[in-house]
Amino acid sequence: GVVEVCERLFVLQVIMLSSITELHSYIDRTQLTQELGGTLEYCHEKWISHRSAIEGFALMVKKTAQTLQSFGTELAETELPNDVQATTNLLAVHLEKKDKMKEDLQIALNQGNRLLESINEPIVKDPDYKMNQDEMENLATVQRLLSQLDETEMAFDEFWEKHHTKLQQCLQLRHFEHSFREVRAQLDLVSDRLATFSDVGNSPIHVEHIVQDLCSYEEKACEVLDRAKDLVCEGDQLIEDSHYAVDSILPKCNELRSVTEELVEDMKAKKALLHKSMELHQSLEKAVKWYDEGIFLLASQPVDKCQSQDGAESALHELERFMDTAAQHKLQDLGAIWRDYETVLNQDFRDHVERVFQKQEGMEEMFEKRRVSLKKLAAKQTRPVQPVAPRPEAFLKSPLSSPGYPRDSPKNSPTDSDALHRINFRKGDHHSSSGGRNDCLSEEEENLAVLRRHVMNELLDTERAYVEELLCVLEGYAAEMENPLMNHLMPVGLQEKKFILFGNMTEIYEFHKRIFLRELENYTDYPELVGSCFLKRMKDLQIYEQYCQNKPRSESLWRQYSDCAFFQECQKKLEHKLGLDSYLLKPVQRITKYQLLLKELLKYSKNCDGAGDLQDALAAILGILKSVNDSMHLIAITGYEGNLNDLGKLLMQGSFSVWTEHKKGHSKVKDLARFKPMQRHIFLHEKALLFCKRREENGEGYEKAPSYSFKHSLNMTAVGITENAKGDNKKFEIWCNAREEVYIVQAPTQEIKTAWVNEIRKVLTGQLKACRASQQKSSDQVFQFPSPTTASVNSSSPFKNNQRGTKKGDEKRTEPASPDACLNSSPSPKHPDKGKDAGHHTAISRVKWLSTSSLLQAKRRGKMPNCVDNLDFSSGFENN
C-alpha cells in the first residue's frame, strides 16, 4: 500500500510548452530570470564565483589565525639572551617574522575587502536594487570573516607591543652592562695611573713637568669620567622608564657614582699636593738664588778698594742692603716648614731643605764676619787691615753653578771656597795659563767673566743632561723595539718603524757623546772662545735638519700608537714621568737652545778675543735653524712632478701677493680679474723659482702645518728682475722670455722685498760670472765680457744716453737682446753731478737684471747690449 501511495505522490504532470509566452501563463515573470523573459536578476556563474571566493577566504582566515597563534606561543616561550649581539639578532629575527605575519594579515584583509566590494557591486550601481536571499547570506558571511580577522590582528598587535618592549629593554640592559664593564675597566686604569703620581719632584721645573703631565692625563681621564657620568644618567633614565631590570641597574649606577667621586677627589688631592710641593720648591729656589747672590756679592767686592775707609763703607752698605732683603727670600722657620709641608716632605725633600737651610746659615755667618771686618776698616785705622775671608767649610754650593740643575754633585762642581778663590784671584790663574791677559782685571771685566762662567756652566750641564736623555731614550725605547720579549706588546703597525719614530737620533747621540761634549769641556775655563768649537762642528750640527724633517712622520706614528702597552711598559721601566713624545722633542729644543746660549755668551764677551767667533757661530746656528724651517716648508710641497733636489739649494721662501702680465704679439693681455692679487708662497732655489698656493691643514701638532700646492716654476737661467715696480716700494718684477711673462710681486714689507731682490741678484750675478768664465775658456768665443775693472761711466756710457736707446728698444720689443731687455736706467735726479766720478757706483732709478739665457741669445746674434759691456756686477747700486 505504501508503494502505491508513493507512486501516486511522485507522479508528476509534465506539460510540454512550445513558447516562452505559454511559460508565462504558468509561472509569474518575477520568478523567472531574464533569459526566460522574466525580471529576476540572477547569474549562476556569479553565484558560483562568490561561493568559491567566500570558501577560499574563510580558509585563509582560519589559516592566518592559526599562524598568529603559533607565533604568539613562540614569542611567549622565548628566553632572553645574555649578550648584546644575541639580543640584537633575536630582536631582528622576531621583527622579520612579525612583519611577515602582518603582511599575511594584510593580504587576507585585502582579499576580504575585494570580495565584499564584489557582493555590494549591484547596490553601488543601483541604490534601489534589492539583494536576493543568496546574496544576503554571502554578504553576512564575508562581513563576519572580516570582523574575525580584525579581532585577530588587534590581539596580535597588543601582544607584540608587549613582547617588543621587553626585547628592547633587554637590549638596552645588555648595552648598559657592556658599557659598564668597559667604563669600570677604564676607571681602574685611571686609578692605577693616578697612583703613579706620587713623586713631589726635586725642583720647580720637575714639579712643573709633573703638573703638566698630570693635567695632560687629566684631560684623558675626564673623558672616562664624563663617559661614566653619562652612563649613570643612562641608567637613571632606564629606571625612570620602568625597566624590568631595576634591581640590576641601580647597584651599577651607585658604584659608578662612588668610583668617579673618589677619582675626582684623588685628582684634586694630587694637584693640591703638587701645588704645595711647587710652593716649597719655589721658596727653596728663591733661598738658593738669594744665597748665590750673596756669595757672588762677597766674591765681587774688590779687596784693594776695601782697604780705604770710603771703600769699606761702600762695601758695608752693600752688605747691609743685601741683608735687608733676607725676609723676602730666606727660609725663616725650619719648624714651620716641617709642620706646613708635612704631606710633601719625603726623606730626600727633607734633606734638601736642611741643606739649603745650612747654606743659608753659613752665608749669614760669612756676611757677619765680613761686616765686622768692614766696620773695622771703615773706622780710622793707623794700619791697613785685610778683610776677613769667608770660611771655606761654610760653602756647600758653587756660586757659579747654574740654578735648576743637580744640587748635590761634588764630582762635577767645585766647592764654594774654590769658587771664591777663583773669582778673587782669577787674574793669577789666567796669567799662569794663558800669559796673555792683563795683570789686573777691572771690576766690570771680572763681573763679566763670572757671568760668562754661569752661561758656560749651563751649556755644559745641559749638554751632559741632553746626552744622558738621548741615551735613555735609545736604550729604553729604541732598543726595546728589537727585543723579542717585548714583541707581544708591540702593535703590528709599529713593528719595523723604528727609524720613522726615532729618525737619526742615534747619529745625533754619537756625535754629542763622542765629539761635541768632549770638545765643549775643553773650553770650561775659556767660555769666550767656545764659538770656535761651534764653527768647527757646524757641518756636523746639520744632522738636525734630517731629524726635523722626519719629525712630522714620527709624531704621526706616535699619536697613532701612544696608548699601546709597549710604550707604557717602557715608560714604567724607565720610571719616566713624561711620555716618549716629550723626549722625541729634545733634539728640536736643543738646537734652539744653542742660539740662546750663544747670544748670552756674546752679550758678556763683547770685548773678548773670541767675540768674532761667537758672532759667527750664532749666525751659523741661526742659519741652521732657518734651513730647518725652510726644509719643513719644502717637504710640504705637493704636485711637483720633478725632483726638488735637482733645483739646488733652497735660498729663501715666503708668502707674497702676485699679479701676472703676459705679452702676446703686439698686444698686452692681463689675466682676467687680476685687480685682486693671487696669494702665492714662493720658493727661491739656485736653479728655479717655484710658485705654490698655501693650503691650511686641520689637525694637531706638525699635522696642522700648511701644505703647498705647486702651480708653476721659472728656470733661473731665463729669469730677469726689475727691482722697483711703479706704485709701491714693496713691489718688484720677475720676468722671463723678453718680458712676455711678467710677475709683479708685492712683499709684506720693504725689508723683505730688499732681501729677496738682493738674493735673486746674487743668483743672476753668479750665473753671469759663470757664463763669463765659460766663454773666456771657450776657444771659439765670438764675444767676451769685459773684466770688472774696466767698467766705467763716461760720455759713451749707456747710463747717459739711455733715453734714446730705450726709446728705440721700445719700438722693437720683439728683439730679445734689446737694451730695454737688459737695463733700463736714467741718471738720478737727486745726484746730477755724481756721474763724473761715481766710479762703479752708478745711481739709477730702475734696474732690470737680465737672465743668463737672454744674454746668451743676444751674444749669438751679435746684439749684446752695451749696458752689459760696461756693467760691473761687483758694484753696488743706489736705487731710488
Side-chain angles (χ1 to χ4, degrees):
V2 176
V3 174
E4 290 178 357
V5 173
C6 290
E7 287 178 351
R8 290 192 189 101
L9 289 175
F10 285 99
V11 172
L12 299 176
Q13 184 180 2
V14 178
I15 301 175
M16 300 298 293
L17 300 176
S18 60
S19 64
I20 295 177
T21 305
E22 292 181 26
L23 178 64
H24 292 165
S25 62
Y26 289 96
I27 301 174
D28 190 81
R29 289 186 176 188
T30 59
Q31 301 299 318
L32 294 175
T33 60
Q34 292 179 355
E35 57 265 23
L36 296 175
T39 60
L40 180 64
E41 294 184 0
Y42 173 77
C43 179
H44 188 63
E45 292 180 357
K46 186 176 181 181
W47 181 85
I48 292 174
S49 174
H50 282 176
R51 290 307 304 176
S52 298
I54 289 172
E55 289 175 1
F57 178 59
L59 184 62
M60 178 181 287
V61 170
K62 181 179 179 180
K63 185 179 179 180
T64 302
Q66 290 175 347
T67 305
L68 289 175
Q69 186 175 2
S70 299
F71 182 53
T73 304
E74 179 186 348
L75 295 182
E77 294 176 353
T78 301
E79 292 185 3
L80 298 178
N82 291 323
D83 61 272
V84 173
Q85 189 60 44
T87 307
T88 303
N89 294 338
L90 179 63
L91 183 59
V93 170
H94 283 188
L95 278 171
E96 184 178 356
K97 289 185 177 180
K98 172 255 183 183
D99 292 339
K100 182 67 172 61
M101 293 293 100
K102 293 290 288 185
E103 185 178 344
D104 293 342
L105 270 171
Q106 191 62 42
I107 291 173
L109 285 170
N110 292 338
Q111 184 174 342
N113 289 326
R114 285 194 299 270
L115 183 57
L116 190 64
E117 289 175 359
S118 177
I119 295 173
N120 287 323
E121 184 177 357
I123 297 178
V124 174
K125 291 181 178 180
D126 185 8
D128 296 332
Y129 176 82
K130 293 182 179 180
M131 291 184 177
N132 56 36
Q133 188 65 30
D134 293 332
E135 289 175 334
M136 293 291 289
E137 290 178 358
N138 290 342
L139 181 63
T141 301
V142 172
Q143 289 176 340
R144 178 174 51 80
L145 290 174
L146 284 174
S147 177
Q148 181 181 345
L149 200 59
D150 287 337
E151 292 175 359
T152 303
E153 184 181 15
M154 289 177 60
F156 174 75
D157 287 342
E158 183 179 352
F159 174 77
W160 169 256
E161 185 64 29
K162 294 178 181 179
H163 178 73
H164 185 250
T165 300
K166 189 171 184 179
L167 278 180
Q168 285 184 321
Q169 287 186 345
C170 178
L171 183 60
Q172 291 171 343
L173 178 62
R174 300 299 176 245
H175 276 297
F176 177 80
E177 291 173 344
H178 178 72
S179 299
F180 172 79
R181 288 191 293 270
E182 287 185 346
V183 171
R184 192 66 182 86
Q186 291 176 345
L187 289 174
D188 290 339
L189 290 176
V190 171
S191 179
D192 294 341
R193 183 71 176 90
L194 285 179
T196 63
F197 289 95
S198 58
D199 195 357
V200 294
N202 53 26
S203 68
I205 295 177
H206 188 195
V207 177
E208 185 178 354
H209 283 167
I210 298 175
V211 171
Q212 290 176 354
D213 197 12
L214 179 60
C215 292
S216 176
Y217 186 74
E218 183 183 14
E219 295 178 1
K220 298 181 180 179
C222 283
E223 296 178 3
V224 179
L225 295 176
D226 290 341
R227 187 180 175 189
K229 293 177 181 177
D230 293 341
L231 191 58
V232 170
C233 294
E234 182 181 336
D236 291 340
Q237 186 63 44
L238 292 176
I239 295 173
E240 186 177 342
D241 293 340
S242 303
H243 197 282
Y244 71 86
V246 173
D247 294 341
S248 175
I249 298 173
L250 186 58
K252 293 181 174 61
C253 291
N254 293 335
E255 182 179 351
L256 289 177
R257 285 193 187 93
S258 175
V259 173
T260 52
E261 288 174 1
E262 289 177 2
L263 289 176
V264 170
E265 292 301 322
D266 191 17
M267 189 83 69
K268 291 181 179 178
K270 296 289 184 185
K271 282 187 175 181
L273 191 71
L274 289 172
H275 288 153
K276 201 75 172 175
S277 176
M278 173 66 80
E279 183 181 320
L280 181 54
H281 275 298
Q282 288 175 343
S283 298
L284 292 174
E285 189 177 61
K286 188 186 297 184
V288 170
K289 183 179 180 182
W290 182 68
Y291 163 79
D292 288 341
E293 290 174 352
I295 295 297
F296 181 78
L297 177 59
L298 290 175
S300 62
Q301 288 185 340
V303 177
D304 53 347
K305 291 185 179 180
C306 293
Q307 302 301 316
S308 65
Q309 183 176 0
D310 293 340
E313 289 179 352
S314 175
L316 185 60
H317 290 322
E318 283 184 343
L319 296 181
E320 291 174 347
R321 281 196 302 270
F322 181 81
M323 291 305 295
D324 289 340
T325 64
Q328 304 171 6
H329 299 89
K330 64 177 290 187
L331 300 178
Q332 300 293 342
D333 185 2
L334 202 56
I337 293 176
W338 302 149
R339 182 178 61 256
D340 296 340
Y341 298 96
E342 181 180 3
T343 55
V344 299
L345 283 171
N346 54 32
Q347 189 57 47
D348 292 338
F349 206 171
R350 186 180 294 269
D351 293 343
H352 177 42
V353 173
E354 289 178 348
R355 286 194 297 270
V356 173
F357 202 79
Q358 290 172 4
K359 285 184 178 182
Q360 184 178 278
E361 289 182 336
M363 187 200 69
E364 289 175 331
E365 182 181 350
M366 287 188 292
F367 261 74
E368 181 59 26
K369 291 186 177 182
R370 175 69 64 87
R371 193 176 66 83
V372 172
S373 299
L374 290 175
K375 278 188 176 181
K376 294 178 180 179
L377 290 171
K380 292 184 179 181
Q381 301 292 329
T382 57
R383 56 187 179 84
V385 177
Q386 291 289 340
V388 177
R391 290 197 312 178
E393 60 272 17
F395 290 86
L396 295 174
K397 178 179 177 182
S398 170
L400 303 179
S401 62
S402 178
Y405 290 96
R407 297 180 295 269
D408 305 316
S409 182
K411 296 182 180 179
N412 296 331
S413 61
T415 64
D416 289 325
S417 59
D418 292 338
L420 279 176
H421 186 272
R422 281 201 308 274
I423 294 173
N424 285 322
F425 302 102
R426 195 165 182 263
K427 169 192 64 170
D429 292 340
H430 284 279
H431 177 74
S432 60
S433 60
S434 62
R437 296 183 180 269
N438 296 328
D439 292 337
C440 182
L441 293 176
S442 67
E443 181 180 356
E444 182 180 1
E445 290 172 341
E446 189 67 32
N447 291 339
L448 290 175
V450 172
L451 293 172
R452 287 195 297 271
R453 169 75 65 146
H454 271 287
V455 179
M456 190 65 193
N457 284 341
E458 183 175 357
L459 172 60
L460 291 173
D461 289 342
T462 55
E463 185 73 14
R464 295 185 187 103
Y466 175 57
V467 170
E468 290 299 323
E469 286 170 343
L470 292 182
L471 177 62
C472 190
V473 171
L474 292 173
E475 291 183 346
Y477 287 97
E480 291 296 313
M481 292 184 72
E482 299 176 353
N483 184 358
L485 299 178
M486 298 286 284
N487 280 344
H488 67 286
L489 298 176
M490 194 182 308
V492 177
L494 188 61
Q495 296 176 3
E496 307 299 330
K497 299 289 181 65
K498 175 181 173 181
F499 182 75
I500 294 178
L501 187 60
F502 297 97
N504 62 331
M505 182 181 284
T506 302
E507 183 183 4
I508 293 174
Y509 167 74
E510 293 295 336
F511 165 67
H512 283 270
K513 173 67 176 177
R514 301 181 182 278
I515 300 174
F516 200 53
L517 176 58
R518 295 180 181 180
E519 292 185 358
L520 287 177
E521 289 173 340
N522 294 333
Y523 293 87
T524 302
D525 295 328
Y526 309 98
E528 65 274 13
L529 304 179
V530 78
S532 61
C533 180
F534 278 90
L535 291 175
K536 179 182 177 182
R537 295 300 174 184
M538 201 53 64
K539 288 186 178 179
D540 296 312
L541 289 171
Q542 291 176 357
I543 58 178
Y544 281 90
E545 292 186 24
Q546 180 182 346
Y547 186 86
C548 293
Q549 289 173 3
N550 180 69
K551 194 68 177 70
R553 299 172 64 204
S554 172
E555 190 175 72
S556 177
L557 184 64
W558 162 256
R559 273 199 305 273
Q560 189 175 356
Y561 299 104
S562 60
D563 293 330
C564 74
F566 172 77
F567 289 128
Q568 294 178 1
E569 182 64 22
C570 291
Q571 183 175 347
K572 183 178 179 181
K573 287 182 179 179
L574 295 171
E575 297 182 353
H576 280 177
K577 302 302 180 184
L578 302 177
L580 174 61
D581 55 328
S582 299
Y583 292 92
L584 291 177
L585 196 60
K586 293 291 183 181
V588 181
Q589 295 171 334
R590 189 59 185 167
I591 192 64
T592 307
K593 180 73 172 177
Y594 285 139
Q595 57 104 2
L596 299 176
L597 294 171
L598 287 172
K599 282 180 181 178
E600 287 295 304
L601 274 176
L602 185 61
K603 183 168 68 173
Y604 303 136
S605 309
K606 293 294 185 181
N607 300 321
C608 297
D609 295 338
D613 286 345
L614 285 173
Q615 184 66 56
D616 294 343
L618 176 59
I621 287 290
L622 292 175
I624 289 179
L625 293 175
K626 177 183 178 300
S627 178
V628 167
N629 182 58
D630 290 346
S631 66
M632 297 297 287
H633 287 274
L634 198 59
I635 62 177
I637 295 178
T638 59
Y640 183 75
E641 297 181 355
N643 187 349
L644 292 172
N645 294 328
D646 296 339
L647 304 182
K649 182 181 178 182
L650 177 62
L651 303 176
M652 302 186 79
Q653 54 84 21
S655 296
F656 298 88
S657 299
V658 179
W659 294 262
T660 61
E661 292 183 5
H662 299 279
K663 284 200 308 182
K664 298 179 181 179
H666 296 286
S667 63
K668 179 184 292 185
V669 179
K670 292 187 177 181
D671 285 353
L672 295 177
R674 281 295 171 250
F675 296 104
K676 183 178 180 181
M678 298 179 292
Q679 299 303 316
R680 291 291 182 261
H681 202 88
I682 304 178
F683 295 84
L684 173 61
H685 292 261
E686 292 176 327
K687 298 180 181 179
L689 267 171
L690 267 60
F691 290 77
C692 300
K693 185 174 181 179
R694 180 187 177 105
R695 300 187 185 278
E696 296 292 343
E697 297 290 344
N698 296 324
E700 300 179 356
Y702 285 90
E703 289 186 355
K704 196 174 182 181
S707 63
Y708 303 97
S709 297
F710 171 77
K711 293 301 180 182
H712 63 278
S713 63
L714 300 177
N715 195 320
M716 289 302 294
T717 59
V719 165
I721 63 169
T722 303
E723 296 189 19
N724 290 308
K726 294 180 179 179
D728 194 338
N729 59 5
K730 294 183 291 186
K731 291 182 180 179
F732 63 98
E733 293 179 353
I734 301 175
W735 45 269
C736 60
N737 299 329
R739 295 185 64 84
E740 286 188 1
E741 295 181 30
V742 179
Y743 300 88
I744 302 172
V745 181
Q746 184 182 42
T749 64
Q750 187 173 1
E751 291 74 16
I752 295 177
K753 172 233 177 171
T754 303
W756 273 74
V757 168
N758 290 340
E759 197 63 38
I760 297 176
R761 180 194 300 169
K762 290 179 184 178
V763 175
L764 299 181
T765 302
Q767 291 178 355
L768 187 58
K769 288 183 178 179
C771 177
R772 179 185 299 168
S774 175
Q775 294 301 322
Q776 287 177 345
K777 294 180 181 179
S778 176
S779 58
D780 58 346
Q781 77 179 54
V782 179
F783 179 84
Q784 183 176 2
F785 290 103
S787 70
T789 56
T790 62
S792 62
V793 179
N794 50 36
S795 60
S796 62
S797 170
F799 291 102
K800 292 192 176 184
N801 57 12
N802 70 310
Q803 296 177 355
R804 182 177 179 182
T806 302
K807 184 176 181 181
K808 185 177 180 180
D810 290 336
E811 295 173 357
K812 299 180 179 181
R813 288 188 179 274
T814 58
E815 290 293 333
S818 63
D820 183 64
C822 172
L823 183 66
N824 183 15
S825 60
S826 61
S828 171
K830 296 181 181 180
H831 306 282
D833 300 327
K834 205 168 183 177
K836 297 181 180 179
D837 52 9
H840 299 313
H841 298 275
T842 307
I844 60 177
S845 61
R846 197 174 182 207
V847 177
K848 297 180 181 178
W849 289 77
L850 188 63
S851 62
T852 306
S853 60
S854 298
L855 291 175
L856 291 176
Q857 275 187 332
K859 172 192 156 315
R860 293 191 189 101
R861 298 179 184 178
K863 298 181 180 181
M864 179 64 71
N866 294 332
C867 58
V868 176
D869 293 340
N870 294 310
L871 182 58
D872 180 6
F873 285 86
S874 63
S875 303
F877 291 92
E878 299 174 10
N879 297 334
N880 294 330

